[in-house]
Amino acid sequence: MGCGHSRTEGGYSDPDQPRRFKAMQDAKADRLVKLDELYEGKKLAGKVVLVTGSNRGLGLAITKELVAQGAKVVATCRTTAPEVEGLHKVVKGIDVTDNKCGDKLVQALGGESIDIVINNAGYFMTDPETIDNPNFAEELKMIDICAVGILRVTSAIVKNGLMASGSKVVLITSQGGSIAWRDVQNAGGPFDYGHHMSKAAANMLGKLLSIELKPKGIMVSILHPGFNRTDMTSKYEHIWEVEGAVDASVGAKRVCHEINLVTMDTTGKFINCEDGKEIPW
């Protein structure tokens, strides 16, 4: 039992995903069997929460979960708005690769303060990469969306004074950004250079943000959301079962649970939402 409220209890999370999932099953870990009891969703009620990449996959699931808990959700997207009733505001035309996206977003917010920014917009190319078939254009696209895009959005909101002390910046990254875990998780390939480089860059960004924003009282949460069954992970559907992939609605609750738990004492830590433990850089 355990892994409910503590993040670092028991050391680092296990890089071997099938082993980690089985261990949680065998232990009937609270986060696996009692998530709804642990997760205090109503703490999000009334919070103004901005979500990028809100119209599909995990971002859509997070948006739905936040609305269900009474949060005031500002949903951003490039073109198609999320089909969710009860949104506080929808901001279209936000492409995180555009250097002006932050300005557009700030203008659309009209001076409204944000309690939580969830940087969820992401991209994962379909074809696997090895040294024999790198795709440089796609690698740069992933880094631009998954790392630099987060900075474009966060910088604009913070520097325009829209985040007060006690607010939170959340980065949805991936265990794939852990350099320490590559020997286990990439043994035998494929190596997906662009994906892993982009997530490692996002993790570095999150750590630096946590240092710079700490004097402002703004917390930063760097999250591996767990293995979720979405279009983006469908290339791995053959291992969904053995590695414990969950519906995105469950993944959204895991993410929101961790958002509730972050404090100034844990700001800047890289957390696995599956078990609440730290992932090594």
Side-chain angles (χ1 to χ4, degrees), residues 4-274:
H5 297 284
S6 174
R7 289 182 154 171
T8 56
E9 197 173 298
Y12 285 124
S13 188
D14 186 348
D16 188 319
Q17 179 108 15
R19 185 174 64 195
R20 180 172 73 229
F21 176 53
K22 186 177 186 305
M24 291 183 71
Q25 285 181 309
D26 291 346
K28 295 182 173 58
D30 288 350
R31 283 174 180 260
L32 192 63
V33 300
K34 295 183 179 180
L35 179 61
D36 286 336
E37 295 178 30
L38 296 173
Y39 166 47
E40 299 176 279
K42 290 305 177 185
K43 286 186 174 182
L44 297 164
K47 301 289 187 183
V48 181
V49 186
L50 187 146
V51 184
T52 66
S54 64
N55 63 344
R56 58 181 296 189
L58 182 61
L60 177 58
I62 291 172
T63 298
K64 289 179 177 179
E65 176 60 26
L66 289 167
V67 170
Q69 297 299 342
K72 298 177 179 179
V73 181
V74 178
T76 81
C77 56
R78 286 181 298 165
T79 54
T80 306
E83 296 182 0
V84 180
E85 292 186 7
L87 292 171
H88 179 56
K89 188 177 292 185
V90 175
V91 184
K92 292 184 179 181
I94 302 301
D95 181 343
V96 300
T97 65
D98 179 1
N99 288 336
K100 298 295 184 182
C101 71
D103 296 335
K104 294 177 185 177
L105 183 55
V106 169
Q107 184 176 8
L109 291 172
E112 182 170 26
S113 294
I114 303 296
D115 296 306
I116 304 169
V117 174
I118 302 179
N119 289 287
N120 170 77
Y123 176 66
F124 193 172
M125 67 177 283
T126 302
D127 297 332
E129 286 188 286
T130 67
I131 196 66
D132 294 321
N133 67 333
N135 188 322
F136 303 126
E138 288 288 279
E139 289 166 7
L140 290 171
K141 181 178 178 179
M142 281 184 274
I143 292 170
D144 199 11
I145 294 172
C146 300
V148 185
I150 294 173
L151 186 56
R152 291 186 180 103
V153 169
T154 305
S155 172
I157 294 172
V158 172
K159 75 181 181 182
N160 281 281
L162 300 184
M163 299 195 77
S165 177
S167 57
K168 300 177 180 182
V169 174
V170 180
L171 286 71
I172 304 299
T173 69
S174 170
Q175 63 183 0
S178 169
I179 295 172
W181 279 11
R182 291 313 93 219
D183 290 315
V184 172
Q185 296 187 342
N186 284 96
F191 297 94
D192 293 326
Y193 286 96
H195 169 65
H196 295 295
M197 289 190 294
S198 73
K199 296 306 183 181
N203 289 346
M204 176 62 81
L205 164 63
K207 185 61 181 178
L208 292 173
L209 281 174
S210 73
I211 297 167
E212 184 169 11
L213 297 182
K214 193 168 187 176
K216 297 179 182 290
I218 300 174
M219 292 158 271
V220 177
S221 188
I222 307 165
L223 302 179
H224 165 56
F227 199 3
N228 296 284
R229 302 184 183 215
T230 66
D231 288 343
M232 192 175 290
T233 66
S234 61
K235 63 190 285 185
Y236 299 121
E237 62 183 342
H238 60 288
I239 56 173
W240 275 352
E241 290 295 332
V242 70
E243 296 204 355
V246 299
D247 187 82
S249 62
V250 177
K253 289 181 179 180
R254 287 173 168 175
V255 167
C256 290
H257 180 51
E258 287 300 334
I259 292 172
N260 280 340
L261 291 180
V262 67
T263 67
M264 290 307 298
D265 289 333
T266 60
T267 187
K269 293 189 180 297
F270 182 20
I271 302 297
N272 185 349
C273 291
E274 292 178 355

